[in-house]
């Protein structure tokens, strides 16, 4: 079987050419299948007496899997051509390219391959710059490609784009049969097209005249080759059929795609000869996987991580199951995956998923979303957040309108967060989107209480570079004359969200650029004053922080400060006998601020023999900043330990695991005096521990 794809701009005459060629080949005794891959689904109408037939996608949408039969979508047309139409989704919704793939899966699965056809001809819309329409070029579907064009610039432009697309699916063998000039009848049309053809190095396999007989034939629901076989137009169409026959048995006559660059296309438009001018060495788009050495974060993921922290909010992941799985399993795999709706579908605690599948990505997924919201509505959520993933972003689901419509209908708060997966950017963008939506739900509160403070940016699953919210924070804030209004968004419930506006002040729980920007935006909206300094780590930072409190509140905290300093000294002097004069190698990430570490080591009298950078980002293998030389490694840790014989190697890196020297993992202290004093005590105990464990 030889497979041919006929491409071209919409309306250029692809279906007319294709149906005629199919008819000609078929009436010469060849077995031909024609497959229309244009959402317009009128490819085969001239073979079917003017009727448009059921499309495969409509059929798949309506028919349960077990009832599907290939014969329901294959119709026999004139001359015995077997006719299939892919069809497509509603304009503006869904992905027609995905639809074409779905159709191929069905046709292959249904055994179309075994039908013994000599030719299979695909009629493909070619002016949509979407990889989906290139499907017939992939997976070895098309052995030869012909492009229908007229002399009009837009149709040559589309032809050039098709060649660019072909380059991206270059599998090493020539595949382009040539151009079919379907004349519009403009002046000098053949010269225009010949100029382009010379530029791209393709033959014009036939020049089909503009002819009113095409309209005649169409009116009788027939191909011109059938109704007017003796016309010059029919001769021209037979030339196309001949070319296909010749090239199917001589595939070495097929050409490689050589699309033109913009400059050369401009020359084509102006009628300036392009051949001889350097045609575009259009570089093949490199497989992104080759270049992708780390997984970039996803706005959908950031949004879900934050919305699921807030109690009273139910999160709906509008997307495929895999997205929800990725977003939930990281923290909830062991505790949270369960069958929330009793329908056997996996969801995790407080998160459910619309489980978009192949058909929703073809036709749109709003009905799945509507159904899920209805199911949730009776379950007592105060608020439902709907977060969209890439698929709804691409297929054009309008979740904003749906959420507002369903809010009105069901009387609960349904908040759309249309981040569209990676469409809206990185995780930080998704976090910001959710945090801003939450902040918008705060009750308006023009009069602020200067003794209330919001702790902001707190993440429930605090990692080691974030402060943990524990007794030390409460004590610090109390010392500064504050009580906590709400901790936002981690540890927060909907009450906390509503209360947000009451506090006079806000403090960030840790220092990080994206978190700072988000907190600034939230505070600006609420009219709350955001402190410059985050919750402080280490004694000096704590004093600076208290100075800022005095500055913004007018409270005199001199006494508090000196009491703290005194307590710090007392607690450290009890530890110092174990640390004074001991030596350390320190390994830290350069991306975090470790001034508190060097300060406390100094205060404890620990001598730092060497400090090193561990990996810049421990998730990214290979991206390191280790004194500009080699990545920090077990080898380097060993050689430091041997060369310097420190009493302790302390690091935030994995590389010291198994080290023969005494080693200690650095965790950042909780804020305030309490936090750093506890930290120092832990270090003191570590200094006392045996350098080697007993079993070594
Ligand atoms: P496409 O499949 O590329 O969208 P069609 O094959 O449906 O385009 O053609 C669009 C219209 O142009 C049809 O009505 C067809 O009869 C008409 N047509 C195509 N080629 C010619 C031609 N050479 N002369 C006159 N009319 C033509
Ligand atoms: Mg068509």
């Amino acid at each position: 079987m030889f497979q041919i794809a006929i491409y071209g701009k919409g309306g250029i005459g692809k279906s007319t050419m294709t149906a005629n060629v199919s008819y000609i080949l078929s009436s010469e005794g060849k077995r031909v299948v024609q497959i229309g891959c244009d959402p317009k689904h009128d490819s085969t109408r001239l073979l079917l007496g003017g009727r448009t037939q059921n499309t495969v996608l409509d059929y798949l949408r309506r028919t349960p899997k077990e009832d599907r039969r290939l014969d329901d979508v294959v119709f026999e047309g004139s001359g015995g051509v077997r006719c299939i139409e892919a069809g497509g989704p509603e304009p503006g919704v869904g992905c027609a390219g995905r639809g074409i793939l779905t159709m191929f899966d069905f046709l292959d699965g249904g055994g179309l391959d075994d039908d013994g056809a000599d030719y299979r001809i695909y009629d493909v819309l070619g002016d949509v710059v979407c990889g989906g329409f290139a499907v017939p070029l992939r997976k070895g579907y098309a052995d030869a490609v012909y492009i229908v064009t007229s002399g009009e610039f837009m149709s040559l432009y589309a032809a050039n784009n098709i060649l660019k697309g072909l380059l991206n699916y270059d599998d090493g063998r020539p595949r382009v049969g040539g151009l079919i000039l379907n004349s519009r009848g403009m002046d000098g049309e053949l010269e225009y097209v010949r100029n382009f053809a010379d530029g791209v190095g393709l033959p014009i396999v036939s020049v089909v005249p503009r002819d009113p007989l095409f309209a005649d034939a169409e009116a009788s629901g027939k191909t011109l080759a059938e109704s007017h076989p003796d016309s010059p137009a029919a001769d021209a169409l037979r030339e196309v059929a001949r070319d296909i026959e010749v090239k199917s048995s001589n595939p070495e006559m097929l050409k490689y795609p050589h699309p033109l660059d913009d400059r050369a296309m401009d020359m084509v438009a102006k009628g300036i000869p392009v051949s001889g001018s350097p045609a575009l060495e259009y570089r093949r788009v490199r497989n992104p996987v080759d270049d992708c050495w780390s997984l970039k974060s996803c706005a959908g993921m950031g949004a879900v991580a934050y919305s699921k922290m807030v109690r009273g909010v139910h999160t709906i992941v509008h997307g495929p199951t895999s997205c929800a799985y990725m977003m939930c399993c990281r923290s909830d795999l062991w505790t949270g995956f369960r069958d929330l709706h009793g329908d056997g579908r996996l969801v995790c605690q407080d998160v459910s998923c619309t489980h978009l599948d192949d058909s929703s990505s073809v036709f749109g997924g709003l009905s799945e979303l509507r159904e899920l919201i209805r199911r949730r509505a009776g379950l007592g959520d105060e608020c439902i957040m709907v977060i969209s993933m890439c698929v709804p972003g691409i297929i054009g689901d309008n979740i904003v309108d749906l959420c507002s419509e369903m809010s009105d209908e069901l009387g609960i708060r349904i908040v759309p967060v249309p981040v569209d997966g990676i469409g809206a950017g990185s995780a930080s963008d998704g976090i910001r989107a959710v945090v801003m939506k939450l902040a918008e739900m705060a009750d308006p509160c023009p009069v602020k209480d200067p003794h209330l403070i919001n702790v902001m940016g707190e993440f429930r699953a605090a990692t080691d570079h974030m402060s943990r919210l524990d007794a030390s924070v409460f004590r610090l804030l109390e010392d500064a004359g504050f009580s906590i209004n709400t901790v936002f968004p981690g540890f927060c419930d909907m009450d906390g969200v509503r209360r947000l506006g009451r506090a006079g002040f806000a403090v960030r729980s840790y220092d990080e650029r994206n978190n700072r920007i988000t907190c600034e935006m939230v505070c600006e909206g609420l009219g709350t004053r955001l402190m410059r300094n985050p919750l402080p780590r280490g004694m000096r930072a704590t004093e600076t922080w208290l100075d800022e409190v005095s500055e913004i509140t007018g409270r005199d905290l001199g006494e508090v400060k000196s009491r703290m300093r005194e307590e710090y000294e007392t607690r450290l002097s009890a530890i110092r006998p174990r640390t004074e004069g001991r030596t350390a190698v320190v390994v830290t990430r350069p991306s975090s601020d470790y001034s508190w570490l060097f300060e406390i080591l100094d205060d404890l009298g620990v001598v730092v023999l060497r400090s090193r950078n561990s990996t810049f980002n421990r998730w990214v293998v290979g991206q390191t900043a280790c004194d500009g030389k080699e990545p920090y490694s077990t080898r380097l840790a060993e050689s430091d330990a041997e060369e310097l014989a420190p009493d302790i190697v302390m690091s935030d890196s994995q590389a010291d695991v198994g080290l023969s020297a005494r080693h200690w993992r650095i965790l950042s202290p909780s804020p305030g005096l309490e936090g750093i004093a506890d930290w120092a005590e832990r270090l003191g105990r570590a200094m006392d521990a045996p350098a080697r464990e007993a079993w070594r």
Side-chain angles (χ1 to χ4, degrees), residues 144-192:
V145 174
Y146 287 82
I147 303 173
V148 181
T149 184
S150 71
E152 284 171 323
F153 183 68
M154 281 319 291
S155 107
L156 289 172
Y157 182 81
N160 196 52
N161 269 352
I162 292 157
L163 292 174
K164 286 182 182 178
L166 263 168
L167 214 50
N168 287 330
Y169 295 103
D170 185 2
D171 60 357
R173 59 193 170 111
R175 279 204 286 178
V176 191
L179 303 175
I180 300 166
L181 168 51
N182 189 20
S183 310
R184 276 283 148 152
M186 54 187 275
D187 283 347
E189 186 164 24
L190 181 58
E191 279 62 49
Y192 269 112

Short mmCIF file of all heavy atoms in Angstrom, two decimals, residues 144-192:
data_model
loop_
_atom_site.label_atom_id
_atom_site.label_comp_id
_atom_site.label_asym_id
_atom_site.label_seq_id
_atom_site.Cartn_x
_atom_site.Cartn_y
_atom_site.Cartn_z
N ALA A 144 4.12 9.72 0.55
CA ALA A 144 4.34 10.84 -0.35
C ALA A 144 3.40 11.99 0.02
O ALA A 144 2.27 11.75 0.45
CB ALA A 144 4.09 10.43 -1.79
N VAL A 145 3.90 13.20 -0.12
CA VAL A 145 3.10 14.38 0.20
C VAL A 145 3.00 15.26 -1.04
O VAL A 145 4.00 15.54 -1.70
CB VAL A 145 3.77 15.19 1.34
CG1 VAL A 145 3.03 16.50 1.58
CG2 VAL A 145 3.83 14.37 2.63
N TYR A 146 1.76 15.65 -1.35
CA TYR A 146 1.55 16.62 -2.43
C TYR A 146 0.91 17.86 -1.82
O TYR A 146 0.09 17.74 -0.89
CB TYR A 146 0.64 16.04 -3.51
CG TYR A 146 1.31 14.98 -4.37
CD1 TYR A 146 1.41 13.67 -3.92
CD2 TYR A 146 1.87 15.31 -5.61
CE1 TYR A 146 2.04 12.70 -4.68
CE2 TYR A 146 2.50 14.34 -6.38
CZ TYR A 146 2.59 13.03 -5.91
OH TYR A 146 3.22 12.07 -6.67
N ILE A 147 1.28 19.02 -2.35
CA ILE A 147 0.72 20.25 -1.80
C ILE A 147 -0.05 20.98 -2.89
O ILE A 147 0.50 21.25 -3.97
CB ILE A 147 1.82 21.17 -1.23
CG1 ILE A 147 2.63 20.40 -0.16
CG2 ILE A 147 1.21 22.43 -0.64
CD1 ILE A 147 3.84 21.15 0.34
N VAL A 148 -1.33 21.25 -2.60
CA VAL A 148 -2.15 22.00 -3.55
C VAL A 148 -1.97 23.48 -3.28
O VAL A 148 -2.05 23.93 -2.13
CB VAL A 148 -3.64 21.64 -3.39
CG1 VAL A 148 -4.49 22.39 -4.42
CG2 VAL A 148 -3.86 20.13 -3.52
N THR A 149 -1.69 24.25 -4.32
CA THR A 149 -1.55 25.69 -4.13
C THR A 149 -2.04 26.42 -5.37
O THR A 149 -2.13 25.84 -6.45
CB THR A 149 -0.08 26.07 -3.85
OG1 THR A 149 0.01 27.47 -3.58
CG2 THR A 149 0.83 25.73 -5.03
N SER A 150 -2.39 27.68 -5.17
CA SER A 150 -2.65 28.55 -6.32
C SER A 150 -1.50 29.55 -6.36
O SER A 150 -0.51 29.39 -5.64
CB SER A 150 -3.99 29.26 -6.16
OG SER A 150 -3.88 30.23 -5.14
N GLY A 151 -1.62 30.58 -7.18
CA GLY A 151 -0.55 31.59 -7.22
C GLY A 151 -0.73 32.65 -6.15
O GLY A 151 0.12 33.54 -6.00
N GLU A 152 -1.81 32.58 -5.40
CA GLU A 152 -2.02 33.59 -4.36
C GLU A 152 -1.01 33.41 -3.24
O GLU A 152 -0.69 32.28 -2.85
CB GLU A 152 -3.44 33.49 -3.82
CG GLU A 152 -4.44 34.07 -4.77
CD GLU A 152 -5.87 33.78 -4.36
OE1 GLU A 152 -6.13 32.67 -3.84
OE2 GLU A 152 -6.71 34.67 -4.54
N PHE A 153 -0.55 34.54 -2.72
CA PHE A 153 0.54 34.47 -1.77
C PHE A 153 0.19 33.64 -0.54
O PHE A 153 0.99 32.84 -0.07
CB PHE A 153 0.99 35.87 -1.35
CG PHE A 153 2.18 35.82 -0.43
CD1 PHE A 153 3.42 35.38 -0.90
CD2 PHE A 153 2.06 36.14 0.91
CE1 PHE A 153 4.51 35.29 -0.06
CE2 PHE A 153 3.15 36.04 1.76
CZ PHE A 153 4.38 35.62 1.28
N MET A 154 -1.02 33.83 -0.03
CA MET A 154 -1.39 33.11 1.20
C MET A 154 -1.33 31.59 1.00
O MET A 154 -1.03 30.85 1.92
CB MET A 154 -2.78 33.51 1.69
CG MET A 154 -2.82 34.82 2.43
SD MET A 154 -1.42 35.06 3.55
CE MET A 154 -1.78 33.82 4.78
N SER A 155 -1.64 31.17 -0.21
CA SER A 155 -1.62 29.72 -0.40
C SER A 155 -0.19 29.22 -0.58
O SER A 155 0.15 28.11 -0.15
CB SER A 155 -2.58 29.33 -1.52
OG SER A 155 -1.91 28.96 -2.68
N LEU A 156 0.69 30.06 -1.17
CA LEU A 156 2.11 29.69 -1.25
C LEU A 156 2.73 29.72 0.15
O LEU A 156 3.58 28.89 0.50
CB LEU A 156 2.86 30.65 -2.17
CG LEU A 156 2.51 30.51 -3.66
CD1 LEU A 156 3.14 31.63 -4.48
CD2 LEU A 156 2.97 29.15 -4.19
N TYR A 157 2.29 30.69 0.92
CA TYR A 157 2.78 30.81 2.30
C TYR A 157 2.43 29.53 3.08
O TYR A 157 3.26 28.97 3.79
CB TYR A 157 2.15 32.04 2.93
CG TYR A 157 2.60 32.31 4.34
CD1 TYR A 157 3.81 32.96 4.59
CD2 TYR A 157 1.82 31.92 5.43
CE1 TYR A 157 4.24 33.21 5.88
CE2 TYR A 157 2.23 32.16 6.73
CZ TYR A 157 3.44 32.81 6.95
OH TYR A 157 3.85 33.04 8.22
N ALA A 158 1.16 29.09 2.92
CA ALA A 158 0.74 27.86 3.60
C ALA A 158 1.55 26.68 3.10
O ALA A 158 1.99 25.82 3.88
CB ALA A 158 -0.75 27.62 3.38
N ALA A 159 1.81 26.65 1.78
CA ALA A 159 2.60 25.54 1.22
C ALA A 159 3.99 25.52 1.86
O ALA A 159 4.51 24.46 2.22
CB ALA A 159 2.71 25.70 -0.30
N ASN A 160 4.58 26.71 2.01
CA ASN A 160 5.91 26.80 2.62
C ASN A 160 5.88 26.32 4.07
O ASN A 160 6.78 25.62 4.52
CB ASN A 160 6.40 28.25 2.54
CG ASN A 160 7.90 28.36 2.77
OD1 ASN A 160 8.69 27.67 2.14
ND2 ASN A 160 8.29 29.20 3.72
N ASN A 161 4.82 26.70 4.78
CA ASN A 161 4.67 26.24 6.17
C ASN A 161 4.57 24.73 6.25
O ASN A 161 5.08 24.10 7.17
CB ASN A 161 3.42 26.85 6.81
CG ASN A 161 3.74 28.16 7.49
OD1 ASN A 161 4.91 28.52 7.61
ND2 ASN A 161 2.71 28.86 7.94
N ILE A 162 3.86 24.16 5.30
CA ILE A 162 3.72 22.70 5.29
C ILE A 162 5.09 22.05 5.11
O ILE A 162 5.43 21.07 5.76
CB ILE A 162 2.72 22.26 4.19
CG1 ILE A 162 1.31 22.74 4.57
CG2 ILE A 162 2.75 20.76 3.98
CD1 ILE A 162 0.37 22.89 3.39
N LEU A 163 5.91 22.66 4.24
CA LEU A 163 7.28 22.13 4.05
C LEU A 163 8.08 22.26 5.35
O LEU A 163 8.85 21.37 5.70
CB LEU A 163 7.97 22.88 2.91
CG LEU A 163 7.39 22.61 1.51
CD1 LEU A 163 8.06 23.51 0.47
CD2 LEU A 163 7.56 21.14 1.13
N LYS A 164 7.89 23.38 6.06
CA LYS A 164 8.58 23.53 7.35
C LYS A 164 8.15 22.43 8.31
O LYS A 164 8.97 21.83 9.01
CB LYS A 164 8.27 24.89 7.98
CG LYS A 164 8.96 26.06 7.31
CD LYS A 164 8.62 27.35 8.05
CE LYS A 164 9.26 28.55 7.37
NZ LYS A 164 8.89 29.82 8.04
N GLY A 165 6.85 22.18 8.33
CA GLY A 165 6.32 21.14 9.21
C GLY A 165 6.91 19.78 8.85
O GLY A 165 7.29 19.00 9.71
N LEU A 166 7.01 19.54 7.54
CA LEU A 166 7.56 18.27 7.07
C LEU A 166 8.99 18.06 7.53
O LEU A 166 9.40 16.96 7.88
CB LEU A 166 7.56 18.27 5.54
CG LEU A 166 6.38 17.59 4.88
CD1 LEU A 166 6.37 17.92 3.40
CD2 LEU A 166 6.52 16.08 5.07
N LEU A 167 9.73 19.17 7.56
CA LEU A 167 11.12 19.11 8.00
C LEU A 167 11.21 18.59 9.43
O LEU A 167 12.14 17.87 9.79
CB LEU A 167 11.68 20.53 7.93
CG LEU A 167 13.14 20.72 7.56
CD1 LEU A 167 13.49 19.96 6.31
CD2 LEU A 167 13.43 22.20 7.40
N ASN A 168 10.22 18.96 10.23
CA ASN A 168 10.22 18.52 11.62
C ASN A 168 9.92 17.03 11.77
O ASN A 168 10.14 16.48 12.83
CB ASN A 168 9.22 19.33 12.43
CG ASN A 168 9.72 20.73 12.65
OD1 ASN A 168 10.93 20.94 12.72
ND2 ASN A 168 8.82 21.68 12.74
N TYR A 169 9.37 16.43 10.71
CA TYR A 169 9.10 15.00 10.79
C TYR A 169 9.99 14.23 9.83
O TYR A 169 9.69 13.12 9.43
CB TYR A 169 7.62 14.71 10.52
CG TYR A 169 6.80 15.32 11.59
CD1 TYR A 169 6.11 16.50 11.38
CD2 TYR A 169 6.79 14.76 12.87
CE1 TYR A 169 5.41 17.10 12.41
CE2 TYR A 169 6.10 15.35 13.89
CZ TYR A 169 5.40 16.52 13.65
OH TYR A 169 4.71 17.11 14.65
N ASP A 170 11.08 14.89 9.47
CA ASP A 170 12.02 14.29 8.55
C ASP A 170 12.54 12.98 9.12
O ASP A 170 13.16 12.95 10.17
CB ASP A 170 13.17 15.28 8.34
CG ASP A 170 14.14 14.78 7.30
OD1 ASP A 170 13.87 13.71 6.74
OD2 ASP A 170 15.13 15.48 7.06
N ASP A 171 12.23 11.88 8.43
CA ASP A 171 12.75 10.61 8.93
C ASP A 171 13.86 10.10 8.04
O ASP A 171 14.13 8.91 7.97
CB ASP A 171 11.61 9.59 9.08
CG ASP A 171 10.95 9.33 7.74
OD1 ASP A 171 11.33 9.97 6.74
OD2 ASP A 171 10.06 8.46 7.68
N GLY A 172 14.44 11.01 7.30
CA GLY A 172 15.63 10.63 6.55
C GLY A 172 15.37 10.24 5.11
O GLY A 172 16.28 10.09 4.32
N ARG A 173 14.08 10.09 4.75
CA ARG A 173 13.86 9.74 3.34
C ARG A 173 13.05 10.84 2.67
O ARG A 173 12.27 11.53 3.34
CB ARG A 173 13.16 8.39 3.22
CG ARG A 173 11.85 8.36 3.90
CD ARG A 173 11.30 6.95 4.05
NE ARG A 173 10.15 7.05 4.93
CZ ARG A 173 8.89 6.86 4.54
NH1 ARG A 173 8.61 6.52 3.31
NH2 ARG A 173 7.90 6.99 5.40
N PRO A 174 13.26 11.02 1.37
CA PRO A 174 12.51 12.07 0.66
C PRO A 174 11.04 11.68 0.59
O PRO A 174 10.74 10.50 0.39
CB PRO A 174 13.15 12.09 -0.73
CG PRO A 174 13.77 10.73 -0.90
CD PRO A 174 14.15 10.26 0.47
N ARG A 175 10.17 12.64 0.76
CA ARG A 175 8.75 12.29 0.78
C ARG A 175 7.86 13.21 -0.04
O ARG A 175 6.66 12.97 -0.12
CB ARG A 175 8.25 12.31 2.24
CG ARG A 175 8.59 11.03 2.97
CD ARG A 175 7.67 10.82 4.10
NE ARG A 175 7.96 11.72 5.21
CZ ARG A 175 7.24 11.75 6.31
NH1 ARG A 175 6.19 10.98 6.44
NH2 ARG A 175 7.56 12.57 7.28
N VAL A 176 8.41 14.34 -0.55
CA VAL A 176 7.53 15.29 -1.21
C VAL A 176 7.40 14.97 -2.69
O VAL A 176 8.39 14.87 -3.41
CB VAL A 176 8.03 16.74 -1.03
CG1 VAL A 176 6.95 17.72 -1.48
CG2 VAL A 176 8.41 17.00 0.42
N GLY A 177 6.13 14.77 -3.10
CA GLY A 177 5.86 14.46 -4.50
C GLY A 177 5.94 15.70 -5.37
O GLY A 177 6.49 15.68 -6.46
N GLY A 178 5.39 16.81 -4.89
CA GLY A 178 5.43 18.04 -5.65
C GLY A 178 4.23 18.92 -5.38
O GLY A 178 3.44 18.65 -4.48
N LEU A 179 4.14 19.98 -6.20
CA LEU A 179 3.04 20.93 -6.04
C LEU A 179 1.98 20.64 -7.09
O LEU A 179 2.30 20.27 -8.23
CB LEU A 179 3.56 22.36 -6.24
CG LEU A 179 4.71 22.82 -5.33
CD1 LEU A 179 5.17 24.21 -5.76
CD2 LEU A 179 4.26 22.82 -3.87
N ILE A 180 0.72 20.80 -6.70
CA ILE A 180 -0.37 20.75 -7.67
C ILE A 180 -0.88 22.17 -7.78
O ILE A 180 -1.34 22.75 -6.78
CB ILE A 180 -1.50 19.82 -7.17
CG1 ILE A 180 -0.96 18.39 -6.97
CG2 ILE A 180 -2.67 19.83 -8.15
CD1 ILE A 180 -1.92 17.49 -6.17
N LEU A 181 -0.73 22.76 -8.95
CA LEU A 181 -1.21 24.15 -9.10
C LEU A 181 -2.68 24.11 -9.48
O LEU A 181 -3.04 23.66 -10.57
CB LEU A 181 -0.37 24.88 -10.17
CG LEU A 181 -0.92 26.22 -10.67
CD1 LEU A 181 -1.26 27.16 -9.51
CD2 LEU A 181 0.09 26.90 -11.59
N ASN A 182 -3.50 24.53 -8.55
CA ASN A 182 -4.93 24.65 -8.85
C ASN A 182 -5.20 26.12 -9.14
O ASN A 182 -5.20 26.95 -8.23
CB ASN A 182 -5.76 24.14 -7.66
CG ASN A 182 -7.24 24.04 -8.03
OD1 ASN A 182 -7.57 23.97 -9.22
ND2 ASN A 182 -8.10 24.04 -7.03
N SER A 183 -5.38 26.44 -10.39
CA SER A 183 -5.36 27.85 -10.81
C SER A 183 -6.54 28.65 -10.27
O SER A 183 -7.67 28.17 -10.23
CB SER A 183 -5.37 27.93 -12.34
OG SER A 183 -4.38 27.09 -12.87
N ARG A 184 -6.21 29.87 -9.86
CA ARG A 184 -7.24 30.83 -9.49
C ARG A 184 -7.60 31.69 -10.69
O ARG A 184 -8.61 32.39 -10.70
CB ARG A 184 -6.71 31.76 -8.38
CG ARG A 184 -6.84 31.19 -7.00
CD ARG A 184 -8.26 31.30 -6.52
NE ARG A 184 -8.51 30.16 -5.66
CZ ARG A 184 -9.39 30.16 -4.66
NH1 ARG A 184 -10.11 31.24 -4.41
NH2 ARG A 184 -9.56 29.10 -3.94
N GLY A 185 -6.67 31.74 -11.63
CA GLY A 185 -6.89 32.55 -12.81
C GLY A 185 -6.32 33.95 -12.70
O GLY A 185 -6.66 34.83 -13.49
N MET A 186 -5.42 34.18 -11.74
CA MET A 186 -4.80 35.51 -11.64
C MET A 186 -3.72 35.67 -12.71
O MET A 186 -3.21 34.68 -13.25
CB MET A 186 -4.20 35.71 -10.25
CG MET A 186 -3.24 34.60 -9.85
SD MET A 186 -2.67 34.70 -8.16
CE MET A 186 -1.31 35.82 -8.36
N ASP A 187 -3.36 36.92 -13.01
CA ASP A 187 -2.34 37.19 -14.03
C ASP A 187 -0.99 36.63 -13.60
O ASP A 187 -0.58 36.80 -12.45
CB ASP A 187 -2.18 38.71 -14.25
CG ASP A 187 -3.33 39.24 -15.09
OD1 ASP A 187 -4.05 38.41 -15.69
OD2 ASP A 187 -3.50 40.49 -15.13
N GLY A 188 -0.31 36.00 -14.51
CA GLY A 188 1.05 35.51 -14.26
C GLY A 188 1.12 34.46 -13.16
O GLY A 188 2.16 34.28 -12.53
N GLU A 189 0.01 33.77 -12.93
CA GLU A 189 -0.06 32.82 -11.81
C GLU A 189 1.00 31.72 -11.91
O GLU A 189 1.70 31.43 -10.93
CB GLU A 189 -1.46 32.19 -11.77
CG GLU A 189 -1.70 31.31 -10.57
CD GLU A 189 -3.18 31.00 -10.36
OE1 GLU A 189 -3.95 31.07 -11.33
OE2 GLU A 189 -3.55 30.70 -9.20
N LEU A 190 1.14 31.17 -13.11
CA LEU A 190 2.08 30.06 -13.28
C LEU A 190 3.51 30.51 -12.96
O LEU A 190 4.27 29.77 -12.32
CB LEU A 190 1.99 29.51 -14.71
CG LEU A 190 2.91 28.33 -15.03
CD1 LEU A 190 2.65 27.15 -14.09
CD2 LEU A 190 2.74 27.88 -16.49
N GLU A 191 3.85 31.75 -13.34
CA GLU A 191 5.21 32.27 -13.08
C GLU A 191 5.46 32.39 -11.58
O GLU A 191 6.51 32.04 -11.07
CB GLU A 191 5.42 33.64 -13.75
CG GLU A 191 5.76 33.55 -15.24
CD GLU A 191 4.63 32.91 -16.04
OE1 GLU A 191 3.45 33.34 -15.87
OE2 GLU A 191 4.90 31.95 -16.81
N TYR A 192 4.45 32.91 -10.87
CA TYR A 192 4.58 33.03 -9.41
C TYR A 192 4.87 31.68 -8.79
O TYR A 192 5.78 31.51 -7.99
CB TYR A 192 3.28 33.56 -8.79
CG TYR A 192 3.23 35.06 -8.66
CD1 TYR A 192 2.33 35.81 -9.43
CD2 TYR A 192 4.06 35.72 -7.76
CE1 TYR A 192 2.27 37.17 -9.32
CE2 TYR A 192 4.01 37.10 -7.64
CZ TYR A 192 3.11 37.83 -8.43
OH TYR A 192 3.07 39.17 -8.32
#
